[in-house]
Amino acid sequence: MEFTPLCFMLSVLMIPSECAKTAVSLSPTVSLSVSPSRSQFFKYESVSLSCEDQGSSAGGRVRRNTTKRWLEECPADWGVATAGSPCSIQDTFPHDSGVYWCESGSGEHSHAVNITVHGGAVILESPVLPVNQGQAVTLRCRYQTPPSNLTAAFYKDGSLVRTEAAGEMTIPAVSTSDAGLYRCSNSELGGSPDCWLAVRASPPAPLLSLPRLLCGILVSLPYLVVTILLLERCCRSKGVCSEAKCDKEEL
């Protein structure tokens, strides 16, 4: 059975509720790093994963769900620990495709990422983590053996977006509407698996609270009243509202 992106998303949704009796929280202090930083790999490629926990120097542990097993931990159940990385897969295989995330010692989870290992000749190189709205994103059609013609067609949610002679497509400033399933295809080597591009919406601009607004009005009100009274006095005494003359008269 092929591990499709839909299966990935369902797995992601199931991670926080591993079982009905366990409560799991996502934490912004726990993050997963993937190197090379992409979500698709060719068979036999290597990949390194590491956890960063801002609340602890221990870092955390990398876990995964695949089509064969669930809640596997690295390196106890899969992968190896090396000097350069606490968790590495030296030779990836399609059965390594799945959902990966970090778990801290206190049980907090990072956001999960989908990793696909493809046995074909074409993969799509795209950000493995969500990108911020407004950021420039480049999608590349990556070939195991470069074809004579690098031209690639890029698709989003099954519909053709455009064809690029250099084999890469750039979105200058992504928006939430750009999120979706992308793939690329080459006339000689075929197509890549689907890949989900996630876009993180920009936070809304902070609104001026009512207490702050009232405070600003109360602070500025006495100055406004004094200014009006001075102008009125100047106009009555001179008949002309000249600021310079009023200042001189006050002195």
Side-chain angles (χ1 to χ4, degrees), residues 25 55 77 87 105 115 132 139 165 172 188 224 227 232 235 237 244 249:
S25 61
D77 304 314
C87 179
I115 292 180
N132 294 322
L139 306 177
E188 296 180 27
L224 181 61
T227 302
E232 184 182 4
C235 290
S237 60
E249 182 185 72

Side-chain angles (χ1 to χ4, degrees), residues 66-157:
T66 66
T67 53
K68 292 187 175 182
R69 295 186 179 182
W70 285 67
L71 304 178
E72 290 185 308
E73 183 179 335
C74 180
D77 304 314
W78 57 275
V80 295
T82 63
S85 173
C87 179
S88 298
I89 306 176
Q90 301 299 325
D91 295 303
T92 56
F93 288 89
H95 64 250
D96 290 311
S97 298
V99 181
Y100 291 71
W101 73 96
C102 285
E103 184 178 306
S104 68
S106 58
E108 295 178 318
H109 286 200
S110 70
H111 287 284
V113 301
N114 299 327
I115 292 180
T116 303
V117 180
H118 186 43
V122 182
I123 60 174
L124 179 64
E125 188 174 319
S126 64
V128 65
L129 297 173
V131 295
N132 294 322
Q133 186 175 354
Q135 181 179 340
V137 173
T138 298
L139 306 177
R140 294 183 180 88
C141 215
R142 191 181 182 95
Y143 309 109
Q144 196 167 31
T145 302
S148 58
N149 183 4
L150 297 176
T151 301
F154 291 87
Y155 299 83
K156 176 181 181 288
D157 298 329

Side-chain angles (χ1 to χ4, degrees), residues 3 86 141 156 220 229 231 234:
F3 202 79
C141 215
K156 176 181 181 288
S220 60
L229 291 176
L231 288 173
C234 179

